Amino acid sequence: MPVPHDQPRSIDRRVRVQGAPVDSYPALPPEAGRGSVRRITVVGEEILSHPCREVTEFGTPELSALIDDMFRTMYVADGAGLAANQVGVDLRLFVYDCPDDRGIRHVGHIINPVLDQPDAGRRRLIDDFEGCLSVPGAAMAVPRTDRAVARGFDKDGAPLVIEGTGYFARCLQHETDHLLGHTYIDRLSKRDRRDALRQMEDRRADVFAQREAKSAGLAR
């Protein structure tokens, strides 16, 4: 999911890492510094259209390496979130580095997430533009609830509860959709879906060139 451009001023700008506030945090997450860039899958590829498998083994070097690679790939693509099937891995896992509407930065990963959303009577839907790293160059308005809670585990198997509001709530919903085999364009009308795919075809070459340039710059 791409990073939004405009963010309101925050009252409390402490970064939340795995849901907990910290007093300082680097611009480039440590995971991104350790990881390698992987290819991002594109809408139409089969792995994006079916539910991902649950992670059953925690605390492994392979899982840690995957998370590191996903952070670096997300950073190079200027993303705010990235699901494992977006790098070709069939596992229920996503990473994020995303601001909420108060300007608070949220960074972390969550495994086997289950999403809680407000009851229908308290639910407020927000129509806002949304993009996807697997639909490069396209953006369309998608209704999402303004609050969401993701419950899952960290890479060592410890329980996690990640709460999001505003744009971060949108990110949690967007990435959980990926793990269920859906992209945001599946939520669009047929006409808007065609528009999104046209945008992608028109702009994807430029997006890929930007990613290559950022990856090359990071490697220096």
Side-chain angles (χ1 to χ4, degrees):
M1 188 170 177
V3 177
H5 294 294
D6 298 320
Q7 290 301 319
R9 187 175 181 83
S10 168
I11 296 171
D12 177 0
R13 292 190 176 274
R14 288 182 300 165
V15 179
R16 270 61 166 177
V17 178
Q18 298 294 94
V22 297
D23 289 332
S24 64
Y25 197 78
L28 180 69
E31 295 92 340
R34 296 190 297 261
S36 300
V37 176
R38 299 197 186 196
R39 175 185 171 272
I40 296 177
T41 52
V42 177
V43 64
E45 296 185 40
E46 183 179 355
I47 196 167
L48 293 175
S49 61
H50 64 78
C52 294
R53 296 183 298 111
E54 285 205 351
V55 174
T56 57
E57 294 186 30
F58 295 87
T60 66
E62 293 80 10
L63 187 58
S64 293
L66 172 60
I67 291 169
D68 290 349
D69 289 355
M70 288 173 65
F71 264 100
R72 192 174 185 94
T73 303
M74 178 177 67
Y75 177 80
V76 163
D78 288 325
L82 185 71
N85 55 353
Q86 291 183 274
V87 293
V89 178
D90 183 16
L91 289 175
R92 287 182 55 80
L93 157 69
F94 67 80
V95 301
Y96 58 88
D97 187 344
C98 182
D100 64 23
D101 286 359
R102 296 177 296 170
I104 298 172
R105 181 185 177 194
H106 298 261
V107 186
H109 68 272
I110 188 166
I111 295 170
N112 299 340
V114 175
L115 201 64
D116 293 343
Q117 294 178 315
D119 297 332
R122 297 183 298 160
R123 185 173 300 172
R124 188 162 72 101
L125 288 177
I126 305 296
D127 254 336
D128 203 353
F129 278 89
E130 193 167 314
C132 179
L133 302 185
S134 291
V135 192
M140 299 293 294
V142 182
R144 300 279 191 185
T145 61
D146 66 337
R147 294 180 178 273
V149 177
R151 303 178 188 276
F153 303 90
D154 71 10
K155 64 183 179 180
D156 297 314
L160 276 177
V161 178
I162 306 298
E163 300 184 28
T165 60
Y167 192 80
F168 184 46
R170 179 173 294 272
C171 176
L172 294 176
Q173 293 167 78
H174 179 111
E175 302 307 333
T176 301
D177 268 1
H178 272 302
L179 303 182
L180 297 174
H182 305 299
T183 63
Y184 83 92
I185 65 173
D186 294 329
R187 293 180 173 270
L188 302 176
S189 67
K190 290 182 179 180
R191 178 180 178 179
D192 285 348
R193 181 185 173 93
R194 288 195 297 269
D195 188 7
L197 293 175
R198 280 196 296 268
Q199 289 181 39
M200 182 181 76
E201 289 306 312
D202 289 344
R203 302 169 184 169
R204 64 191 295 176
D206 290 339
V207 172
F208 290 160
Q210 291 168 5
R211 292 178 186 175
E212 287 289 335
K214 188 162 184 177
S215 180
L218 193 62
R220 293 194 187 103

